[in-house]
Amino acid sequence: MIKIALLGFGTVGKGTYEILNKNRENIKKIVSDDVVVTKILKRNLNFETDLDKKLFTDNFEDIINDEEILLIVEMTGDLENSYMYIKRAIENKKNVVTANKAVVSEYFEEFTELAKKNNVAFLYESSVAASLPIITPLKSQSVINDIYRVRGILNGTSNFLLSNMELENKDYSDVLKQAQDLGYAEAEPFDDVEGIDALRKLRILSTIAFKSPIKNENILHYGIGSISKVDIEYFKNNNLRVKLVAESKLDDKGYTSIVEPVILSRDDSLFNINDTNNIVEIFGDNYDSLSVAGQGAGSFQTGNAVVIDIIDALCKNYIDLEFNRDLKNMSENMEGIYYLRISNKFSIDDSLIDNLNNMGENIVIKTKKIKRNILFEQLKNIPEKEYFVGRYEIN
């Protein structure tokens, strides 16, 4: 019997536990032994459950000091404690699987090197795009390809908001309330709508793809918190659609990495990714592009990726990463043609404008090809709620 422990028993923890039990015999055939959850860490033990209460503990020491537990699945969502849990587990020669994108993105290189040193697995497929199998294939692709671009829609909440503003012709605030009622958005949705969640995922993907540490602080971000019906209607009337896109590119000068609203035409592969769905595209020298799309969140969707990682860890079916490149961050030099909707109380330098449309209390501007930082320098003294910016990427 192979004993494992779960840290956290929320939505993902419950999904993981159910998938493990439902597929117990199939998993046994693959790993050549019975995989059994023998401990579950839970902060509050005063709760109702059909499971044996002896499974649960509120003391991490009960798990870390159990030498028979070979693998720990971290699903707490707590950055400070999860760092300690993962570090101590690896140092105690226990394999680690985590769904916690925040802790992976913050301590990616440290955990990777520590796991290698202790000859255990550190796997995190579910930390990016939930059920989408992208981390493991990306590792394999990076071995035989020079991957030069990673692009995708990595946050289901923001994609739901943008999709339903268009579909239902609603204001941002109304669709946000709908998403919160459905459980798609947190009470405080800042990380989702301002691109922080997608940034963390892009950091992980880019580091693997480019074989170089691309840190959170190296990635630019601008979100969708100031978008309005005016913007959505303008895009719709022009057969365009806006998505919160995460993208990293690599060339001989260095890399750029950003999360921002991007305006797409109908022939773009991201155009029809709607609702809470995610997509990831990778571009390498052996092919034009590879992509994987599907549901980016959910109990069983995320739990599915967690269980695959558990199997891979126990079978030692994983690739050790090497971060052997020193790349220059060129993100501040990014250029593009930008959409700007701004209150008619304000203006920007005429030399940046390609064309302009008056729309009631707002002005819609299409810029010339300009440096992104020049545009945002023009906007720095204007309240963020008074404007919305998106980059045109029209094929």
Side-chain angles (χ1 to χ4, degrees), residues 160 163-171 175 178 236:
F160 176 88
S163 298
N164 282 271
M165 284 182 72
E166 178 185 347
L167 180 67
E168 300 181 14
N169 193 32
K170 288 184 176 180
D171 287 318
V175 177
Q178 179 186 359
K236 192 173 183 178

Side-chain angles (χ1 to χ4, degrees), residues 19 30 68 144 147 153 235 261 283 292 333 358 360 375 391:
I19 292 170
I30 300 298
E68 293 186 345
I144 59 170
I147 296 173
I153 296 169
F235 302 141
F283 300 76
V292 57
N333 294 324
N358 288 296
L375 176 59
R391 177 173 55 83

